[in-house]
Amino acid sequence: MEKQLVFATSNEHKVREVNQILKTDITLISLKAIGCLEDIPETKDTIAGNAIQKAQYVYDKYNRSCFAEDTGLEIAALGNEPGVRTARYAGPAKDAEANMALVLEKLKHQEDRSARFKTVIALILQGELYTFEGIVNGHIAHEKKGAKGFGYDPIFIPENQELSFAEMGDEAKNAISHRGRAFKKFNLYLDNIK
Ligand code: ITT
């Protein structure tokens, strides 16, 4: 099978984590390397819909096998918000500090702090679409803890753990995270079609 896949993301943190999780001989090609410098639309109302939209955009425009992933944080007490608005919860700047501050403010008087991260990967391989999902349950901390990771990691404590994702480091996070789980399924699939 094709040994190169375009990873349709502009988030460098995702690229770093995925490079550590994937154990294949597939070479990941960046959007920049294929000349895709534009903002890819993410206008659907589900995480899966957005992952598929991103992958489809690259496949249609550049005719390359590719995958995209979309990740959302779902907080039970907020009716599963921010969900598809995770990146831009506090506004279009995609500012992680502002996003976390907004979540902490909204949960200030909440006892139920349960939350989960969900990742959906959409793979388009020689024109066929496949999806893979990974979920990690947990809760939102009362304050930020740790400086590793990215996004909402300082306020997310995965279930059965005391440390936030931002206190863990990549290896420990990838072993249990939404992205780690989704990419392990993705990896198994790629191994089986070789
Ligand atoms: P691409 O669409 O280009 O891949 P993005 O950053 O816009 O990159 P998403 O649309 O999937 O990615 O937005 C998800 C947001 O959720 C992201 O900006 C982070 O703030 C947050 N996020 C994603 N994965 C996370 C993780 O593992 N830990 C903490 N926060 C995460």
Side-chain angles (χ1 to χ4, degrees):
M1 74 162 258
E2 162 132 45
K3 294 281 172 149
Q4 291 192 346
L5 277 178
V6 176
F7 186 3
T9 184
S10 51
N11 184 323
E12 289 164 30
H13 301 281
K14 289 184 181 177
V15 176
R16 192 192 66 213
E17 287 188 2
V18 170
N19 269 319
Q20 285 172 359
I21 300 163
L22 283 185
K23 302 272 179 284
T24 82
D25 50 2
I26 287 164
T27 308
L28 299 190
I29 310 288
S30 69
L31 288 175
K32 214 161 140 191
I34 60 164
C36 174
L37 303 173
E38 65 269 29
D39 237 352
I40 299 178
E42 281 183 67
T43 54
K44 304 294 180 190
D45 59 6
T46 61
I47 291 162
N50 280 330
I52 294 167
Q53 187 181 24
K54 286 188 267 187
Q56 195 75 52
Y57 178 94
V58 170
Y59 185 75
D60 289 346
K61 193 155 174 198
Y62 297 91
N63 196 26
R64 299 280 299 247
S65 287
C66 64
F67 65 93
E69 66 104 287
D70 200 63
T71 294
L73 176 63
E74 298 180 339
I75 300 172
L78 303 180
N80 284 340
E81 274 197 9
V84 288
R85 299 201 293 135
T86 297
R88 299 176 175 79
Y89 198 36
K94 287 188 170 187
D95 181 70
E97 292 300 321
N99 286 338
M100 286 188 286
L102 182 58
V103 167
L104 291 176
E105 173 62 27
K106 288 197 180 211
L107 291 184
K108 204 158 63 182
H109 304 296
Q110 266 296 340
E111 250 171 61
D112 177 9
R113 306 184 71 86
S114 56
R116 63 182 197 168
F117 272 115
K118 187 198 281 180
T119 291
V120 176
I121 303 165
L123 167 68
I124 303 182
L125 197 58
Q126 285 138 15
E128 292 290 324
L129 170 71
Y130 308 85
T131 60
F132 308 87
E133 185 183 270
I135 287 174
V136 60
N137 293 309
H139 70 271
I140 302 296
H142 286 275
E143 57 193 10
K144 294 188 290 173
K145 297 195 298 174
K148 298 170 189 161
F150 69 102
Y152 296 78
D153 281 344
I155 60 167
F156 186 83
I157 320 246
E159 70 183 350
N160 304 322
Q161 306 283 326
E162 284 177 12
L163 300 182
S164 76
F165 269 158
E167 293 177 302
M168 286 185 178
D170 283 345
E171 207 175 318
K173 176 184 170 187
N174 290 339
I176 55 171
S177 77
H178 46 302
R179 183 165 299 102
R181 288 178 174 157
F183 276 96
K184 273 171 209 147
K185 294 183 191 168
F186 176 86
N187 212 24
L188 272 180
Y189 175 75
L190 292 178
D191 281 348
N192 285 335
I193 57 166
K194 269 191 209 162

